[in-house]
């Protein structure tokens, strides 16, 4: 097998593995309205040649008023052919698998055929990618291959190619401007001053226009809802940036699969600004290793790893060319996150039959755990944020003719989370709101409004 074909073959194998992990989660009712259902509604809107509206967020809520991700429109043609949430999960698997090609390609040049393949496999199994794959779908899937090809181009000192791969990141999500600006600064440091400055200016201007104008223009309240997360509260900025210790654990976890040899390459500095922005935010979900927040950093760090090995030079020879990638693979395998479990007590076959009672095109309020099963064929809002027919509610929720909920009656006091308590209370109030039970079984219950 030639060196040139190995990266593509490895990407194909890992793509099949990614699909084998993510697609069955949808089939087993282990996905959620937040966020798979939301993104499917957005893509469904594009596929219908309309705006990316998500009724899970609110009636007529344009997702461009939440995050600037017009890149999702690229999925519309495929979704027209294969409508359903599974299409998004497969697309995400393909996009992330594509990023394996540039990482493995550079790794093979540095570590040889066997060592490079092992290092590419370690990247493909790295916890940041795995965490994204195991929790539904996110637009960041588009950022992963773009970042990988951009950083590979930087490692090869191909300035124009790096800029061309980096600039489309601005269409993925507004926070990717930090990575794009980092690419521009790196180009300037590598004596590509004009091109680098142009990339930085473009990143700053586009991000400013998006955050200050585009997103507020599409938001129901006329604002950028995530601006509060970055406001300074007047405290010690260093403490806010560096504490609590969860943030340091995330840094260690990011560098551990590379044996900290990524620090040998200046490419690792590209991860600083995106990581600092996460640590500055007040939401603790951004600080840790869960969900999709570290996915775009993984190609940056692994390509810095390969570049760092190259910079070691003659000391990186012999058995080290194999030992270091093997160590990276072992660390990546140990760090694989455990996928979140699905709803307790749910029997899939029976539950699917009960949901089939809801007709196509119906307006239905569904539990978060059930929403992604319906977004491909119904207008879905989130239960218990319910607007019964004949009433109005906050944020103008769609009027729900049907309600599909998890049967939490057997939970008793087992699940005392506010969301579960609120949902059980809302279910108890459905008869008074005019809803009658239409079908039940498999751990779910469907209600229909009877007036």
């Amino acid at each position: 097998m030639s060196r040139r074909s190995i990266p593509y073959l490895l990407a194909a194998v890992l793509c099949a593995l990614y699909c084998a992990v993510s697609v069955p989660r949808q089939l087993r009712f282990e996905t959620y309205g937040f966020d798979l259902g939301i993104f499917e509604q957005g893509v469904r809107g594009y596929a219908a040649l309309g705006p990316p509206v998500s009724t899970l967020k609110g009636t007529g809520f344009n997702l461009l008023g939440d995050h600037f991700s017009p890149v999702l429109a690229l999925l519309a043609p495929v979704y027209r052919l294969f409508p359903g949430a599974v299409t998004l999960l497969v697309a995400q698997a393909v996009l992330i698998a594509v990023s394996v090609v540039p990482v493995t390609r550079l790794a093979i040049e540095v570590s040889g055929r066997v060592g490079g393949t092992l290092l590419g496999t370690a990247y493909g199994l790295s916890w940041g990618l795995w965490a994204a794959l195991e929790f539904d779908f996110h637009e960041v899937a588009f950022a992963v291959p773009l970042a990988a090809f951009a950083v590979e181009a930087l490692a090869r000192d191909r300035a124009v190619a790096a800029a061309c791969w980096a600039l489309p990141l601005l269409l993925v999500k507004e926070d990717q401007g930090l990575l794009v600006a980092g690419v521009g600064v790196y180009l300037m440091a590598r004596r590509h001053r004009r091109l680098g400055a142009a990339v930085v200016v473009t990143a700053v201007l586009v991000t400013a226009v998006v955050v200050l104008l585009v997103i507020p223009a599409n938001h129901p309240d006329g604002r950028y809802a995530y601006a509060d997360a970055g406001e300074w509260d007047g405290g010690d900025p260093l403490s806010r940036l560096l504490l609590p210790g969860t943030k340091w654990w995330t840094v260690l976890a990011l560098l551990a699969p590379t044996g900290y040899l990524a620090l040998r390459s200046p490419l690792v500095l590209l991860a600083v600004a995106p990581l600092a922005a996460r640590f500055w935010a007040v939401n603790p979900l951004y600080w840790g290793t869960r969900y999709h927040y570290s996915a775009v950093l993984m190609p940056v760090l692994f390509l810095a790893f390969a570049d760092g090995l190259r910079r070691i030079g003659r000391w990186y020879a012999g058995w080290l060319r194999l030992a270091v990638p093997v160590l990276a693979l072992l660390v990546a395998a140990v760090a694989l996150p455990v996928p979140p479990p699905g709803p307790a007590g749910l029997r899939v076959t029976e539950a699917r039959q009960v949901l089939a009672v809801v007709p196509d095109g119906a307006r239905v309020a569904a539990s978060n755990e059930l929403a992604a099963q319906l977004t491909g064929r119904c207008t879905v809002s989130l239960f218990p944020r319910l607007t019964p027919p004949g009433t109005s509610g906050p944020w103008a929720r769609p009027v729900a003719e049907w309600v599909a909920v998890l049967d939490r009656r057997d939970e008793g006091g087992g699940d005392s989370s506010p969301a579960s308590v609120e949902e059980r209370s809302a279910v108890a109030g459905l008869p008074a709101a005019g809803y009658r039970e239409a079908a039940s079984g498999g751990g779910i219950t469907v209600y229909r409004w009877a007036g």
Side-chain angles (χ1 to χ4, degrees), residues 3 9 11 14 18 46 92 121 133 137 156 192 198 217 219 237 247 249 264-265 295 304 353 377 389 402 419 425:
R3 289 191 174 198
L9 179 60
L14 286 170
Y18 297 158
Y46 280 129
Q92 177 171 253
T121 304
L133 289 160
F137 172 91
R156 301 180 186 281
H192 303 286
H219 192 277
K247 299 174 182 179
W249 168 251
R264 288 280 302 176
S265 170
Q353 293 172 348
R377 62 184 185 90
W402 296 78
S425 175

Side-chain angles (χ1 to χ4, degrees), residues 49 77 82 88 146 159 163 174 217 234 259 298 316 350 377 409 420 433 439:
L49 303 181
F82 306 100
L88 273 67
L146 289 172
E174 64 277 4
M298 304 315 293
Y316 180 58
E350 190 177 351
R377 62 184 185 90
R409 289 174 291 189
S420 180

Side-chain angles (χ1 to χ4, degrees), residues 100-332:
V100 173
V101 172
V103 175
T104 307
R105 190 160 54 196
L106 185 63
I108 287 176
E109 291 184 12
V110 173
S111 299
R113 185 179 304 179
V114 176
T117 302
L118 290 173
L119 200 152
T121 304
Y123 164 73
L125 297 179
S126 59
W127 63 264
L129 300 183
W130 211 253
L133 289 160
E134 289 183 338
F135 192 72
D136 296 359
F137 172 91
H138 294 90
E139 71 280 87
V140 74
F142 285 93
V144 176
L146 289 172
F149 282 105
V151 178
E152 182 203 22
L154 289 178
R156 301 180 186 281
D157 200 27
R158 295 171 54 204
V160 174
C164 290
W165 283 112
L167 288 173
L169 285 165
L170 298 173
L171 302 177
V172 176
K173 195 177 179 183
E174 64 277 4
D175 60 1
Q176 295 304 308
L178 293 170
L179 181 56
V180 177
V183 170
V185 171
Y186 189 93
L187 289 173
M188 293 172 66
R190 297 289 292 178
R191 299 181 301 281
H192 303 286
R193 293 182 177 85
R194 290 186 178 179
L195 179 60
V199 171
V200 172
V201 170
T202 302
V204 172
L205 289 179
V206 170
T207 302
V209 169
V210 164
V211 170
L212 298 177
L213 298 176
V214 177
I215 294 179
N218 288 283
H219 192 277
D221 294 336
R223 64 190 183 93
Y224 178 51
Y226 302 93
D228 295 345
E231 290 183 355
W232 185 32
D233 56 7
D236 179 8
L238 284 179
S239 296
R240 174 168 172 172
L241 190 63
L242 302 177
L243 298 176
T246 303
K247 299 174 182 179
W248 286 103
W249 168 251
T250 298
V251 173
L252 295 176
L254 286 167
L255 292 172
T258 73
Y260 302 96
L261 291 174
L263 296 172
R264 288 280 302 176
S265 170
L267 291 171
V268 76
L269 296 175
L270 295 172
V272 172
L275 200 56
R278 284 172 53 188
F279 290 171
W280 182 261
V282 295
N283 188 344
L285 291 179
Y286 298 146
W287 306 341
T289 56
R290 296 185 64 190
Y291 307 119
H292 58 287
Y293 300 115
S294 296
V296 75
L297 297 180
M298 304 315 293
V300 175
L301 295 170
F302 271 84
L303 284 161
F305 180 21
D307 185 58
L309 293 176
R310 182 170 58 184
R311 291 170 183 272
I312 291 177
R314 60 188 178 87
W315 289 280
Y316 180 58
W319 65 273
L320 281 177
R321 291 186 180 273
L322 185 60
V324 172
V326 167
L327 177 62
L329 179 58
L330 291 175
V331 172

Side-chain angles (χ1 to χ4, degrees), residues 65-80:
D66 189 39
H67 291 298
F68 185 71
S69 304
V71 71
L72 290 172
L74 294 178
L75 296 179
V78 181
Y79 190 86
R80 284 290 293 267

